[in-house]
Amino acid sequence: MKVALVHYHLQPGGVTRVIENTIRAWEKSDSGPEGCVVLSGRPYPGKVLPHVRTVEGLDYADAQKAPDPALLTERLKEAARTTLGGLPDLWHIHNHSLGKNPALSGAVALLAQSGARLLLQPHDYAEDGRPENFGNLAGTQPTIYPTGGQIHYAALNRRDQIFLQHTLEGHPSPVHLLANAIPQAPESAESVPARTYPEIPDNLFLYPVRAVRRKNLGELALLSAAHPEIHFANSLGPTNPAFAPIYQSWIEFARGHSLGVTYGLGDQTDVSFSEMVSLAQAIVNVSVAEGFGLGFLEPWTFGKSLCGRNLPEITADFSELGVNLDHLYPELRVDPGLVDRKELKAALSEAMSRAYASYGREIPADALDRALHSICNEDGIEFGRLNEPLQKRVISQIKDSADGLSEVREQAGLEILDRSRIQSNLSAVTQNFCLTRYGQTLSGIYNKVLSSQVDQVRFADTNKMLDQFLSPERFNLLRS
């Protein structure tokens, strides 16, 4: 078997790490193909990947600067032939539908129509809060999701698998679940470093993320108000300048309300990441949206307890594999009296109208009511779906309410799990998400692609995917 792995670039980051771990997994499991080439739009700066070829026109490009898909297709084929001695038996293509370069989406459609066997692995979606990417695909949208028995898809999590299966309903393309590998346990976090760090707060609950809106920084402030005995902190500030004003406003808000929360703790110390984790009493998560969900698996490899918010649609398959996350809360509801209903309704109306318009869609007549009903129910208002101004008003009011803070504490259920439960989850992660298991799973998928019947290529309705992500019931003001 000869395989071509394809991605826009191989700069350090998520997909590059996945491709590097793929090579590592094949080495560990002895299950890799006889020949492999990695095709990228930029030179590879790392050392893990062998047989990398740079393909002109594969890098990020908008619709105006992207090459003709037919030209890119020929370049991909020629680069593969140069290394493999012929065309690959299978093309494994990452994020072809993301809209970072419409020429790649078009090239995938042409490869499909030529009879090529494809494994298409989306990691992120243009339909998921990325209207500019979606617009970039305007010329290729009807052919974004090619189908046929010889064309398979790989999903990172159960939600993505369900969304893809619905989009491909009535077509013969299977959708496999292919969770990312957790390559190895980091340096042990069991022992506190020998030197002391006075800038690291006592009883630290660390949120090891860089600040972006979907990380829901306001919930750290709410948890802090309800748990004065704990100091909460996220690790890094934002790199996106557009988010800087919101981030700075949370710093000022926490300081003005004397909350035990530090934003960007890692930016204020020379403590290494592993040392910071070592010094933390527990890891906390409050994110409202994730792709793969690494943050629900990695804490156990550090030997640390995880607490906070769960995302069941992302973690359902983790739980089925023995990673027990029952102690996490799926939502955090506050008294409806703390939120101005008219202001919430106005914010939703404006944000939803803007979101639908950005995707060129008419907003459904009942969209606002559907969104309000999912955010507000008899148990209260879901804090994690409010925007920053509304979140700040809730915290400002609830911080002086003993009953309100007690209710937050009860729902959050923050605790440091005992050693046996941490070890149980660590064992589940090590067993099910190791490199060896990943290599075996991927090779099994490859074999299924190669043995599948070749069908006439058809294309799934792209609107089905957009309908799922743009559902009013899923609408979140932190993602608008």
Side-chain angles (χ1 to χ4, degrees), residues 74-156:
E74 289 308 310
R75 289 173 177 170
L76 290 169
K77 288 180 177 179
E78 180 58 31
R81 288 192 196 99
T82 300
T83 299
L84 300 176
L87 290 178
D89 301 303
L90 184 151
W91 297 82
H92 182 172
I93 303 176
H94 295 267
N95 262 346
H96 82 286
S97 61
L98 183 56
K100 289 291 190 178
N101 183 341
L104 178 58
S105 303
V108 166
L110 292 174
L111 286 171
Q113 290 172 319
S114 74
R117 294 184 181 272
L118 306 176
L119 178 63
L120 304 178
Q121 186 176 359
H123 298 256
D124 306 287
Y125 296 82
E127 299 89 346
D128 185 18
R130 296 175 174 87
E132 290 185 2
N133 291 22
F134 192 78
N136 208 26
L137 293 170
T140 57
Q141 277 180 21
T143 60
I144 288 175
Y145 295 106
T147 70
Q150 70 280 15
I151 302 168
H152 292 217
Y153 287 76
L156 293 181

Side-chain angles (χ1 to χ4, degrees), residues 216 218 250 383-384 386-395 478:
N216 189 19
W250 277 120
F383 184 85
L386 302 177
N387 60 19
E388 290 87 356
L390 289 170
Q391 287 187 339
K392 288 173 183 174
R393 292 202 185 103
V394 168
I395 299 167
L478 288 179

Side-chain angles (χ1 to χ4, degrees), residues 83-326:
T83 299
L84 300 176
L87 290 178
D89 301 303
L90 184 151
W91 297 82
H92 182 172
I93 303 176
H94 295 267
N95 262 346
H96 82 286
S97 61
L98 183 56
K100 289 291 190 178
N101 183 341
L104 178 58
S105 303
V108 166
L110 292 174
L111 286 171
Q113 290 172 319
S114 74
R117 294 184 181 272
L118 306 176
L119 178 63
L120 304 178
Q121 186 176 359
H123 298 256
D124 306 287
Y125 296 82
E127 299 89 346
D128 185 18
R130 296 175 174 87
E132 290 185 2
N133 291 22
F134 192 78
N136 208 26
L137 293 170
T140 57
Q141 277 180 21
T143 60
I144 288 175
Y145 295 106
T147 70
Q150 70 280 15
I151 302 168
H152 292 217
Y153 287 76
L156 293 181
N157 55 61
R158 188 62 51 81
R159 181 206 64 187
D160 291 358
Q161 185 182 39
I162 291 171
F163 279 19
L164 282 165
Q165 286 172 334
H166 177 72
T167 301
L168 303 174
E169 189 175 5
H171 297 276
S173 291
V175 182
H176 305 278
L177 188 62
L178 181 63
N180 289 337
I182 310 297
Q184 61 185 17
E187 182 180 341
S188 174
E190 293 292 325
S191 58
V192 176
R195 60 185 179 128
T196 59
Y197 300 93
E199 69 270 34
I200 300 298
D202 293 332
N203 204 17
L204 173 64
F205 277 45
L206 180 67
Y207 187 21
V209 299
R210 184 174 293 281
V212 296
R213 285 196 81 202
R214 65 181 172 85
K215 296 301 182 180
N216 189 19
L217 297 183
E219 199 153 298
L220 279 189
L222 177 64
L223 292 176
S224 176
H227 299 82
E229 74 283 5
I230 296 173
H231 193 101
F232 297 86
N234 86 293
S235 51
L236 295 171
T239 55
N240 182 353
F243 184 60
I246 296 175
Y247 176 71
Q248 185 61 36
S249 76
W250 277 120
I251 294 174
E252 294 168 0
F253 181 87
R255 185 183 301 122
H257 289 77
S258 301
L259 298 176
V261 57
T262 299
Y263 294 108
L265 179 61
D267 297 327
Q268 304 173 34
T269 175
D270 63 353
V271 175
S272 70
F273 178 73
S274 60
E275 288 174 324
M276 194 180 304
V277 171
S278 175
L279 289 161
Q281 298 299 304
I283 304 300
V284 63
N285 171 71
V286 291
S287 176
V288 295
E290 291 297 325
F292 168 55
L294 177 66
F296 295 99
L297 300 176
E298 196 171 47
W300 315 109
T301 70
F302 286 108
K304 292 292 180 176
S305 180
L306 173 69
C307 60
R309 181 179 283 268
N310 195 3
L311 296 173
E313 66 176 13
I314 301 297
T315 64
D317 36 306
F318 300 169
S319 299
E320 290 180 7
L321 292 171
V323 183
N324 189 336
L325 302 173
D326 291 346

